[in-house]
Amino acid sequence: MRWAGFVLVGGRSTRMGRDKALLAYNGMPLAGHLAALVRQAAGSVTLIGSPALYSELDLPIVDDWWPNCGPLGGLHRALVSAKADWNLLIACDLPHLSSELLSGIVDRAGQHSGNCVAAMTSAGVQPLCAAYRSTCLAEVTRRLAAKRFKMRELVDDLDTAFYPAPDRQLLNTNTPEQWTAAKGA
């Protein structure tokens, strides 16, 4: 089974007030930290966002073909650019994510005949910490054309298996207060 890994870095970070992907975490930009985890679990990693903004990270990067469509546009770009059976996709604002969790999702996908495996916390499904089979591309394209951008709705409509995840690992950081709390935890 072939795998590809992706980190979404194309968000606007409006609530944070600065680019979340470039926040310093463990001596490196957060996107670099997360890219290492994704590479460990999936065997490869590509950032999805602006090559001009993230070229200094020295990681493969592809631009988002569907700007202003949120993570669904990023998923579309991942599915188009990868020639893999499965694609591990994560958001760039999950500082406590672990390689063990991502490897667990990858392992679960290898046993799943459906087309998505998503992390599940007590807060619900986490579509930006999930694996998507390449066969999802047609459905993602239809949703983009119909301006149906909600990732949770996509995951609900796919044949999805869920992988249990500790709440702490999927606490995202959208505000400076959340970032300060995440660094202290």
Side-chain angles (χ1 to χ4, degrees):
M1 185 176 311
R2 294 177 306 158
W3 274 90
F6 297 91
V7 179
L8 297 173
V9 295
R12 291 187 223 141
S13 301
T14 53
R15 290 179 281 173
M16 182 64 71
R18 58 188 172 139
D19 193 334
K20 294 186 284 187
L22 298 177
L23 293 170
Y25 189 77
N26 290 341
M28 67 175 65
L30 182 56
H33 166 73
L34 294 169
L37 299 178
V38 169
R39 181 181 289 121
Q40 186 175 351
S44 73
V45 67
T46 300
L47 303 180
I48 299 177
S50 169
L53 293 175
Y54 304 106
S55 62
E56 290 185 21
L57 295 179
D58 199 28
L59 291 164
I61 184 165
V62 294
D63 58 338
D64 188 345
W65 289 344
W66 294 84
N68 304 315
C69 294
L72 189 67
L75 174 58
H76 179 272
R77 184 61 163 117
L79 295 173
V80 167
S81 67
K83 302 301 179 217
D85 300 317
W86 281 95
N87 303 277
L88 183 62
L89 182 81
I90 68 163
C92 73
D93 60 358
L94 303 169
H96 297 300
L97 198 59
S98 72
S99 60
E100 292 80 16
L101 173 60
L102 296 177
S103 293
I105 291 171
V106 165
D107 290 344
R108 178 70 175 96
Q111 303 163 10
H112 182 48
S113 62
N115 44 25
C116 181
V117 175
M120 176 72 83
T121 67
S122 66
V125 64
Q126 305 296 319
L128 298 184
C129 183
Y132 295 89
R133 197 182 290 268
S134 61
T135 55
C136 295
L137 179 59
E139 180 61 24
V140 170
T141 302
R142 277 192 291 278
R143 286 172 185 266
L144 285 166
K147 299 187 185 310
R148 294 178 53 207
F149 304 135
K150 294 187 186 290
M151 290 292 291
R152 285 189 188 204
E153 288 178 7
L154 171 68
V155 170
D156 287 345
D157 292 345
L158 296 175
D159 180 4
T160 300
F162 301 101
Y163 188 81
D167 289 353
R168 180 180 184 277
Q169 286 196 36
L170 291 167
L171 290 175
N172 61 0
T173 51
N174 290 313
T175 66
E177 296 78 21
Q178 290 171 335
W179 178 245
T180 299
K183 289 191 307 183

